[in-house]
Amino acid sequence: MCGIFGYIGHRNASKLLVKGLLRLEYRGYDSSGVVVKNGQLQSYKDIGKISEMASSLPRMKGSMGIAHTRWATHGGVTQDNAHPHLSNDGKVAIVHNGILQNSDTLRKRLVKLGVKLNSETDSEIFCHYIAMELDRGKEPLEALQNVLALTRGTWGLCVLFEDYDFVLCARNGSPLIIGRGKDEMFISSDPHAIREHTDQLVALEDGQIAKLNSLDFQVMQTDGKEVKSNLLDLEEDWGESELGDYPHFMLKEIHEQSQSLQHCISGRLRHAEGTSVLGGLQIRPQELAQLPHVRLIGCGTALHAAQIGQILIEQWARIPAVSHVASEFNANDPVINPKALHLAISQSGETADTLSAVKEIQRKGADVYGVVNVVGSSIARQCGKGVYIHSGPEQSVASTKAFTNMVGALALFALQLGRSRHLSKTKGKSITREMRMLPDKIRSYLENPGSIDEAVELVTKAKSVLFLGRGISSPVASEGALKLMEIAYIPCLAYPAGEMKHGPIALIEQDYPVVVIAPNDGVQDRTLNAIHECKARGAKIILIHEEGDPISEVGDVCISIPSTIPMLTPLLSVLPTQLIAYHAALALENDVDRPRNLAKSVTVE
Ligand code: M6R
């Protein structure tokens, strides 16, 4: 989604800005631009790929500038709507992430004042109002403070001035990180875009403003009161993520799942005691005894992981658990029990809907634990406690290895919770034994993935595809459908297998593809009913089943996965669905890693 990168120092800014934008590229965007101060403010922006924008970039000599990748919210994908936006006198340039709720009113006011608007965006108003404040004789900081007081909404905002040798930044609901180098400063919406330059990072908090020159920066509250900011502890080196020999990040990340799951569970399993230890999710025995329920929230793939987590917690810990769509969570003024346990699941740690649900829960008096991949991200910091899932960088918009590790981390947590209540050591040991074998089983499946091509041939010819699963396989069906839909653009429907006869069965006609996730899990016989009902109407069944299982007789295309205990099957049954989506997108010649309209991290509500 929208990304910001800024530089103030002694090197050529435009080169560093473009490099910074390329680091943010995987997040998804539709246009980009840079502005550099070289005496005057010199700017360039365009729609399309960053590399194309960069190749047309005029020579820019300055050593101070700001840049942006835009993902359209207000106004179409046009060059005018791309950032940066400049005031009409060319003296103020801004880049903005977030959404202004009262931009219509503010735009109308500008029009009445005779200010020419150059775009359809909400963001543009910032540069004009700031320029008007400067014209009234205000200093830049006061000008920004006055304009922020007019606006309602969210912002990660950077302002560059023709007449001043500093950059102002402000944050409200949209992340901004400052990086201190040697006689140079960096700004970004993503800490990992700065990491190659410095590990001296400071995250702005909501309601804060920062003033930066090449030597120093000050952070203050909106009212100008200076605040002390702490260095951001990213704990681990995020490292470079390059494609290597893979044609796409998605395929690379699918194949990394064995190793990344190993990373997630290693050091956290205690086989001798049949339990696990997640340092960030230690709960006092007294609180545990009184735990009324667990709530898990997330969006998209993280929601599907949350749904699996819900089942694991109920099964192993026997505590009522419920998962929620984060984007719906605040809509109905949810009742929050401060004694309950709340988990926010997110790969990026920046998903605005999830972050907003976290804040709502905290506002109502409860703690939220983060189950997050990106270290130092907004959700991780807002929660202040929780666990990292340790997937490493995930660059493909379609999430794969983060899903596996979210489920892995939630399984560890459910086990820990269960063992501290009634789950027996014997049962716990059977779980730890199976968990330890999973990375190898993932590797062995990926080495021999079965009839993916046949499945791809069926789904790519179809108008739509139905995914079915029962019990713990139902969220896997949802995840498979999401993956195929988002990168192959094939309409997909996911249903609990038993619900199929209550509506989706109307879709079935001759050769209609139905992907059924049917591990040997104790509810398989009823999934079999749904399969027969589909077959009776001419459907072609793409069956994901455990190796050696006689259920394979009913499949038209059979994909066998290694066996494990029922509750851990999602970690294996999801793999063929990822491969089907990947190869279908490839067959349809879609941009696998950057599907249209989507962003890697969705930072607006
Ligand atoms: O970063 P998050 O895990 O919070 O992201 C949530 C969703 O936006 C994300 O899972 C999305 O659905 C993916 N594109 C799915 O592949």
Side-chain angles (χ1 to χ4, degrees):
M1 201 151 253
C2 297
I4 288 177
F5 198 86
Y7 176 76
I8 311 151
H10 44 83
R11 294 191 269 167
N12 181 288
S14 67
K15 287 196 180 129
L16 287 160
L17 294 177
V18 168
K19 207 168 167 205
L21 291 186
L22 288 168
R23 288 239 158 248
L24 299 172
E25 187 172 35
Y26 77 96
R27 294 163 64 110
Y29 66 98
D30 42 54
S31 51
S32 58
V34 302
V35 56
V36 167
K37 182 179 155 165
N38 177 22
Q40 293 179 323
L41 298 184
Q42 192 184 0
S43 92
Y44 184 77
K45 55 188 184 177
D46 208 349
I47 58 168
K49 294 206 181 301
I50 294 169
S51 53
E52 285 159 17
M53 185 278 294
S55 65
S56 317
L57 200 66
R59 199 148 168 265
M60 292 178 161
K61 270 171 83 187
S63 57
M64 177 186 296
I66 53 180
H68 192 259
T69 54
R70 174 173 189 254
W71 184 85
T73 57
H74 286 49
V77 181
T78 65
Q79 194 174 23
D80 285 341
N81 289 339
H83 299 215
H85 294 288
L86 268 75
S87 58
N88 288 319
D89 61 5
K91 285 180 176 289
V92 180
I94 66 100
V95 294
H96 168 229
N97 287 357
I99 292 182
L100 294 184
Q101 275 143 19
N102 59 341
S103 66
D104 284 350
T105 316
L106 295 172
R107 282 175 68 93
K108 280 183 195 145
R109 212 180 285 169
L110 284 171
V111 173
K112 268 196 191 156
L113 291 167
V115 176
K116 181 174 164 269
L117 292 170
N118 304 304
S119 76
E120 304 158 311
T121 65
D122 51 345
S123 312
E124 186 191 350
I125 64 103
F126 277 117
C127 57
H128 300 305
Y129 277 98
I130 293 170
M132 287 194 309
E133 289 290 312
L134 294 178
D135 284 346
R136 279 191 204 119
K138 303 289 182 207
E139 288 298 311
L141 179 59
E142 195 182 350
L144 176 61
Q145 288 167 324
N146 291 348
V147 175
L148 292 181
L150 293 175
T151 48
R152 275 191 294 110
T154 54
W155 53 82
L157 175 71
C158 290
V159 196
L160 185 68
F161 303 90
E162 184 181 284
D163 296 334
Y164 299 89
D165 284 331
F166 54 77
V167 170
L168 292 179
C169 305
R171 173 189 162 138
N172 190 41
S174 203
L176 269 188
I177 313 290
I178 297 171
R180 182 200 286 275
K182 190 164 167 11
D183 299 340
E184 54 186 2
M185 297 287 165
F186 301 86
I187 309 152
S188 182
S189 47
D190 182 335
H192 302 286
I194 310 183
R195 203 61 200 280
E196 65 173 314
H197 302 291
T198 175
D199 57 4
Q200 301 275 297
L201 306 182
V202 164
L204 289 190
E205 300 297 339
D206 284 349
Q208 291 184 340
I209 296 179
K211 183 176 173 183
L212 302 89
N213 61 32
S214 60
L215 301 177
D216 207 359
F217 67 89
Q218 294 132 21
V219 180
M220 57 207 103
Q221 299 296 359
T222 323
D223 60 10
K225 200 167 151 223
E226 209 165 316
V227 287
K228 204 174 151 333
S229 43
N230 297 321
L231 280 182
L232 195 60
D233 183 7
L234 289 190
E235 275 179 17
E236 62 182 40
D237 186 3
W238 203 247
E240 292 282 302
S241 180
E242 305 298 345
L243 266 178
D245 291 335
Y246 288 96
H248 298 101
F249 279 108
M250 184 178 177
L251 191 63
K252 177 176 184 248
E253 288 156 9
I254 288 173
H255 281 271
E256 281 173 352
Q257 288 176 104
S258 158
Q259 199 190 348
S260 64
L261 182 66
Q262 183 68 59
H263 205 181
C264 173
I265 62 178
S266 67
R268 289 169 162 177
L269 283 175
R270 300 282 180 276
H271 183 62
E273 297 98 58
T275 190
S276 63
V277 179
L278 285 169
L281 282 173
Q282 299 277 26
I283 300 159
R284 289 204 304 274
Q286 203 191 349
E287 281 175 59
L288 205 57
Q290 293 173 355
L291 205 58
H293 59 256
V294 182
R295 275 175 142 175
L296 305 95
I297 52 171
C299 293
T301 289
L303 172 68
H304 302 145
Q307 290 165 343
I308 292 169
Q310 163 192 334
I311 298 172
L312 292 171
I313 291 167
E314 291 216 336
Q315 287 283 322
W316 290 346
R318 308 308 297 162
I319 299 173
V322 62
S323 50
H324 297 269
V325 179
S327 54
E328 282 292 304
F329 192 75
N330 296 358
N332 302 314
D333 190 14
V335 178
I336 299 298
N337 183 340
K339 288 187 177 158
L341 183 67
H342 297 86
L343 301 175
I345 329 287
S346 176
Q347 187 286 129
S348 62
E350 301 297 347
T351 301
D353 291 316
T354 309
L355 184 58
S356 160
V358 168
K359 288 179 182 167
E360 172 77 359
I361 296 166
Q362 290 174 332
R363 202 176 57 75
K364 290 180 170 166
D367 286 343
V368 188
Y369 292 78
V371 179
V372 172
N373 189 34
V374 177
V375 178
S377 56
S378 297
I379 293 173
R381 285 183 292 109
Q382 181 70 33
C383 292
K385 49 178 133 180
V387 293
Y388 286 118
I389 62 169
H390 297 308
S391 299
E394 191 183 67
Q395 306 239 34
S396 170
V397 164
S399 189
T400 53
K401 62 176 181 169
F403 173 81
T404 335
N405 277 25
M406 285 168 184
V407 174
L410 288 168
L412 291 171
F413 175 58
L415 174 62
Q416 179 178 326
L417 210 56
R419 285 289 289 125
S420 60
R421 290 166 67 95
H422 311 294
L423 191 79
S424 73
K425 187 168 168 180
T426 315
K427 182 86 196 289
K429 283 178 90 162
S430 74
I431 295 168
T432 55
R433 189 177 311 113
E434 281 300 324
M435 285 195 81
R436 286 198 305 192
M437 290 195 283
L438 279 169
D440 277 343
K441 290 185 178 181
I442 291 176
R443 186 177 307 111
S444 109
Y445 169 74
L446 290 172
E447 279 166 7
N448 184 12
S451 315
I452 300 296
D453 290 350
E454 285 177 55
V456 167
E457 207 177 319
L458 282 178
V459 299
T460 47
K461 281 197 292 208
K463 280 188 290 196
S464 66
V465 181
L466 179 61
F467 283 73
L468 299 177
R470 190 182 276 270
I472 200 141
S473 295
S474 177
V476 180
S478 302
E479 177 57 10
L482 171 64
K483 218 90 308 178
L484 184 60
M485 189 162 49
E486 70 177 327
I487 60 170
Y489 316 145
I490 299 170
C492 294
L493 206 61
Y495 257 79
E499 276 295 292
M500 196 269 311
K501 57 189 177 296
H502 296 288
I505 197 166
L507 292 175
I508 311 285
E509 53 189 1
Q510 196 58 41
D511 294 339
Y512 185 94
V514 181
V515 180
V516 186
I517 325 291
N520 192 358
D521 56 3
V523 291
Q524 194 197 49
D525 51 345
R526 282 184 287 153
T527 306
L528 200 52
N529 294 344
I531 294 175
H532 285 305
E533 287 153 12
C534 292
K535 279 179 82 81
R537 288 159 182 85
K540 284 267 188 281
I541 304 296
I542 300 167
L543 188 69
I544 298 173
H545 63 88
E546 288 179 64
E547 58 201 358
D549 189 334
I551 196 176
S552 62
E553 283 162 23
V554 297
D556 294 290
V557 174
C558 293
I559 301 174
S560 107
I561 53 168
S563 293
T564 184
I565 55 172
M567 286 296 111
L568 294 177
T569 54
L571 290 158
L572 295 162
S573 60
V574 76
L575 304 172
T577 69
Q578 297 169 344
L579 288 173
I580 292 171
Y582 172 78
H583 288 286
L586 213 57
L588 295 168
E589 298 184 6
N590 295 345
D591 187 341
V592 173
D593 284 337
R594 293 191 199 100
R596 68 183 180 209
N597 304 337
L598 283 167
K600 181 65 184 162
S601 64
V602 183
T603 50
V604 291
E605 281 182 58

